[in-house]
Amino acid sequence: MAVGSMNVEEGTKAFPAKLTFQVFLCCVIAAVGGLMFGYDIGISGGVTSMDTFLLDFFPHVYEKKHRVHENNYCKFDDQLLQLFTSSLYLAGIFASFIASYVSRAFGRKPTIISASVFFLVGAILNLSAQNLGMLIGGRILLGFGIGFGNQTVPLFISEIAPARFRGGLNVMFQFLITIGILAASYVNYLTSTLKNGWRYSLGGAAVPALILLIGSFFIHETPASLIERGKDEKGKQVLRKIRGVEDIELEFNEIKYATEVSTKVKSPFKELFTNRENRPPLVCGTLLQFFQQFTGINVVMFYAPVLFQTMGSGNNASLISTVVTNGVNAIATIISLVMVDLAGRKCLLVEGAIQMTVTQMTIGGILLAHLKLVGPITGHAVPLIVLVLICIYVSGFAWSWGPLGWLVPSEIYPLEVRNAGYFCAVGMNMVCTFIIGQFFLSALCRFRSFLFFFFGVMNIIMGLFVVFYLPETKGVPVEEMAEKRWKTHSRWKKYFKD
Ligand code: BGC
C-alpha cells in the first residue's frame, strides 16, 4: 500500500520511491527499541523515590529523606543510589561498541533481536531481585539491551526510509521513547502505594522487550546491510518491496557503489579517525549528542519526582506532576514528526535551544529566590509555576534536540564508517547520561539552583553551534550527504580534496 510518493528535493537526486506500508511497519516495529529505552528512563526516577524501594535497598537514604531539618537540596544525594540509575549507561557504552561490529557483520535485524533478548532477561532479573547485586546485574543487562537497540534502530530507520520521509520516520524512535517514559511514570504512580510496588515497575520493562522481540521477526533487513554483506539479489528484492516501485536500479547502484567503498575499509574506526573527510560528520554527530544531554533533560527525566519532592510536594503530587511533564513530552514530539521534513533540522534545533535557555534560567531564578537551604518553599504558587516552566522546557526539547540528537548522526556518515561513527554519537549519549545520572543529585546538593543557570548557558552554546556548523540535511539521500552537504559547507569544505 502506498501512502505517499517522493518529490525531488532541490539539489539532490530523486530515487523513485513511495512511502510503503512495508517501510512504515518496519520503522514502527524497530522504533519499539525506543519504547524500551524510554520505559527505563521513566521508571528509575520514580522507583528511587519510593519508600518501599529505599527501605529494601537503600535504608540510609530513606532515613535521610525523612529527617525534617535535612538540607533541601541534599535529601537524595547518595552515590550508590545514583549508581542504580546510571550503571545501565556504563554497560550501554560497552554494548553499543560491540553492537557497531555485530550490526556491520551480521546485519541490523539480528542486532535488534539481541537487544530485545538482553532487555527481557534484565527485566526478569530486576523483577525478582533479592539484593543489590541482582538489582545492578539486571540493570547491566538492560544496558546491553539499550546499547544494542540505540546503536541500531535509528540507523536501521535511516537506511530503510525514503529520503523525503526519513526525518519523520526517524522521529518515531524518539516518539516511542517518550511514550515509554510516559507509560513508566504512570506505572510508577499506580505501583507507588503497593507493597513491593517497585517490583512491578521494574518488571514492566519486559513488556516493550517482548513486543520488540516478536515484532522484529517481521521486519526486513536493510538493503544497504544486505548489499554490504554480498547479498545483492536479496538486497534488490527488498528494495523493490519497500520502495513499492520496480525501477530501483538508480538507488541500488548508489548503495552498491557505497558498499564497494565500504568493503575496502577493513578497520572502520581507524578510517573514521584518520581520514580527514570524516571529521565534519564525526564532530557534528558526536557533539549533537553531547549537547543533547547537556540541555539538562535527564535532570527532569530521572529526577523530576525527586525535584518536586525537594520543592515540598508530597509523594503522590510529585508523581502526578511527573506524569504531566511526560505527557507534554510525548505530545510535543508529534510536532517534530510533522515539522522535521518541512521546516528542516536546523530551524527546530535553534528554536528548541532558545526555548530551553529561557525556561532553565527562569527556573534557576525562582528557586534561588524561593527555596532556601532549609525550610519549606516560600510562595504557594511556586511549585505550580515551576511545573508549567518545566513543561515548556520539556516541549522545547521534545520537538528539537530529543529526536534530532538521534536522527542527524544517523544520516550524515558514509556507509563505510556509519556504524563506527554512529557509535561515537550513541557512546557520547551514554557517557553524558551516565555523568548526569551519577552526579546530578550531588551537583544539586552543592550548586543548588545555580545548576539551572549552567544548563541555560549550555543551551546558548549549542544553539550557536547549530547556526554556524551544522549543514541542513533535510531531504538529502544518505549516500549523497558528503557531495551535497559537507563539501559545500563553508566551514567544512576544507576537509575535502578537490
Ligand atoms: C534522550 C534521553 C532523554 C529522552 C527524553 C532522548 O532523546 O536521549 O536521554 O531522557 O530523550 O525524552
Side-chain angles (χ1 to χ4, degrees):
M1 182 180 67
V3 287
S5 64
M6 185 179 168
N7 282 349
V8 182
E9 182 72 23
E10 202 188 331
T12 67
K13 234 181 275 169
F15 300 130
K18 294 169 180 162
L19 175 55
T20 59
F21 181 66
Q22 297 276 348
V23 161
F24 186 72
L25 190 70
C26 284
C27 292
V28 172
I29 292 175
V32 175
L35 195 64
M36 295 190 325
F37 184 36
Y39 187 86
D40 188 83
I41 294 169
I43 216 74
S44 328
V47 166
T48 49
S49 71
M50 282 180 196
D51 284 349
T52 51
F53 177 79
L54 291 177
L55 270 172
D56 283 351
F57 295 103
F58 303 92
H60 56 289
V61 182
Y62 174 82
E63 199 189 302
K64 191 164 157 190
K65 178 180 157 188
H66 289 270
R67 257 184 248 143
V68 181
H69 296 299
E70 190 63 50
N71 179 331
N72 271 325
Y73 292 94
C74 300
K75 282 183 181 172
F76 293 87
D77 173 20
D78 181 80
Q79 289 298 320
L80 252 190
L81 179 66
Q82 294 177 82
L83 189 63
F84 165 75
T85 301
S86 54
S87 55
L88 178 150
Y89 294 92
L90 281 185
I93 300 165
F94 180 59
S96 45
F97 179 70
I98 298 176
S100 73
Y101 282 99
V102 175
S103 158
R104 191 170 193 237
F106 301 102
R108 321 300 186 222
K109 184 170 164 170
T111 320
I112 293 178
I113 294 178
S114 320
S116 61
V117 173
F118 281 128
F119 206 77
L120 186 60
V121 181
I124 295 171
L125 204 61
N126 268 351
L127 170 80
S128 50
Q130 299 301 328
N131 50 47
L132 201 56
M134 281 177 88
L135 202 64
I136 304 268
R139 281 198 71 72
I140 290 175
L141 280 171
L142 294 178
F144 262 76
I146 287 180
F148 268 58
N150 288 12
Q151 171 67 30
T152 319
V153 169
L155 276 184
F156 172 89
I157 298 178
S158 280
E159 286 182 346
I160 212 155
R164 192 165 110 76
F165 302 104
R166 188 178 62 236
L169 289 171
N170 210 302
V171 172
M172 230 142 39
F173 175 67
Q174 174 72 15
F175 181 58
L176 285 188
I177 294 180
T178 63
I179 296 291
I181 299 175
L182 178 63
S185 58
Y186 189 62
V187 170
N188 273 340
Y189 169 67
L190 294 179
T191 62
S192 63
T193 48
L194 302 180
K195 186 169 180 288
N196 285 334
W198 61 267
R199 280 193 197 277
Y200 305 112
S201 286
L202 296 181
V207 176
L210 269 175
I211 302 177
L212 183 63
L213 180 60
I214 297 167
S216 53
F217 287 98
F218 296 94
I219 61 180
H220 293 290
E221 184 53 273
T222 71
S225 173
L226 286 166
I227 299 166
E228 191 178 25
R229 287 175 295 123
K231 302 180 177 175
D232 286 16
E233 270 320 303
K234 181 89 182 124
K236 270 189 182 168
Q237 229 178 44
V238 172
L239 208 51
R240 253 184 225 113
K241 205 178 264 176
I242 61 174
R243 294 290 175 257
V245 293
E246 277 305 305
D247 175 20
I248 43 92
E249 281 311 312
L250 209 60
E251 187 170 0
F252 174 80
N253 289 339
E254 182 113 343
I255 299 177
K256 184 73 196 161
Y257 174 71
T259 57
E260 274 163 13
V261 179
S262 165
T263 40
K264 285 199 197 106
V265 172
K266 295 290 168 253
S267 167
F269 279 99
K270 189 166 162 222
E271 172 72 11
L272 177 68
F273 293 117
T274 54
N275 185 344
R276 275 170 61 81
E277 296 192 358
N278 292 322
R279 204 70 49 83
L282 179 62
V283 171
C284 288
T286 314
L287 270 185
L288 272 187
Q289 273 292 357
F290 170 81
F291 286 141
Q292 190 211 53
Q293 286 308 308
F294 280 89
T295 55
I297 187 66
N298 281 323
V299 167
V300 176
M301 292 300 136
F302 294 157
Y303 299 120
V306 168
L307 214 66
F308 289 123
Q309 285 193 23
T310 297
M311 289 190 306
S313 314
N315 222 339
N316 232 2
S318 82
L319 282 175
I320 294 178
S321 309
T322 309
V323 175
V324 171
T325 323
N326 293 338
V328 170
N329 189 19
I331 293 167
T333 308
I334 299 174
I335 295 181
S336 192
L337 267 166
V338 181
M339 293 305 290
V340 70
D341 289 316
L342 293 175
R345 293 30 169 174
K346 287 186 74 160
C347 164
L348 291 177
L349 286 169
V350 173
E351 193 283 332
I354 296 173
Q355 191 167 326
M356 288 187 287
T357 305
V358 174
T359 41
Q360 292 270 26
M361 298 279 192
T362 318
I363 293 173
I366 290 181
L367 290 186
L368 192 62
H370 292 277
L371 188 62
K372 303 296 175 212
L373 274 188
V374 283
I377 197 156
T378 56
H380 269 337
V382 170
L384 184 64
I385 296 173
V386 173
L387 174 63
V388 172
L389 283 167
I390 287 185
C391 288
I392 301 176
Y393 162 80
V394 165
S395 62
F397 175 87
W399 57 59
S400 61
W401 290 83
L404 298 181
W406 298 103
L407 164 64
V408 176
S410 77
E411 60 183 12
I412 54 178
Y413 283 103
L415 185 61
E416 64 275 18
V417 292
R418 192 169 297 153
N419 273 300
Y422 198 66
F423 162 73
C424 295
V426 180
M428 183 57 89
N429 173 283
M430 304 268 170
V431 170
C432 297
T433 312
F434 170 78
I435 293 174
I436 304 247
Q438 188 64 32
F439 300 112
F440 171 71
L441 290 178
S442 312
L444 181 69
C445 175
R446 180 164 306 180
F447 302 112
R448 306 194 295 273
S449 45
F450 292 103
L451 208 54
F452 293 90
F453 296 115
F454 164 75
F455 287 122
V457 172
M458 288 304 292
N459 277 289
I460 298 178
I461 299 174
M462 62 188 75
L464 291 173
F465 174 80
V466 170
V467 172
F468 294 110
Y469 288 95
L470 193 72
E472 177 55 65
T473 50
K474 169 185 105 171
V476 184
V478 177
E479 308 308 345
E480 292 182 10
M481 213 49 88
E483 274 316 308
K484 299 289 188 252
R485 289 299 180 260
W486 301 115
K487 286 187 186 174
T488 55
H489 192 279
S490 60
R491 286 195 162 69
W492 297 119
K493 61 183 175 204
K494 60 175 183 261
Y495 288 92
F496 294 84
K497 293 180 216 96
D498 294 341

